[in-house]
Amino acid sequence: MPVNDPKKLETTLGDGRRVTLSLPPTDALWAADGVGALRAVPATHTGRGDEPPALPARPVLPLEVALLGLGV
């Protein structure tokens, strides 16, 4: 069932899940019209990018040294 509140936007995803977007009350001018001022923007990228490089392997630190690094 669609939402009839002008401050809420509801859509159904391709897999059947429903998503509702709403804005809380605010004095921000860009949000004065609620979600009615939002518009769809086509995706500039699809899929995933390259995987980030793996972290370098390091030896495990003793617990005391690790805690010192946290400032405990």
Side-chain angles (χ1 to χ4, degrees):
M1 171 165 66
V3 176
N4 292 327
D5 185 344
K7 300 228 182 257
K8 291 186 180 180
L9 178 67
E10 184 177 277
T11 190
T12 303
L13 302 177
D15 62 3
R17 293 179 294 164
R18 290 194 327 203
V19 177
T20 302
L21 173 69
S22 62
L23 294 174
T26 180
D27 293 333
L29 294 178
W30 64 267
D33 295 329
V35 294
L38 300 177
R39 61 184 172 86
V41 177
T44 57
H45 298 82
T46 58
R48 292 180 55 151
D50 296 334
E51 291 294 324
L55 294 174
R58 293 184 177 167
V60 177
L61 295 175
L63 180 58
E64 295 83 8
V65 175
L67 289 176
L68 287 173
L70 294 175
V72 177

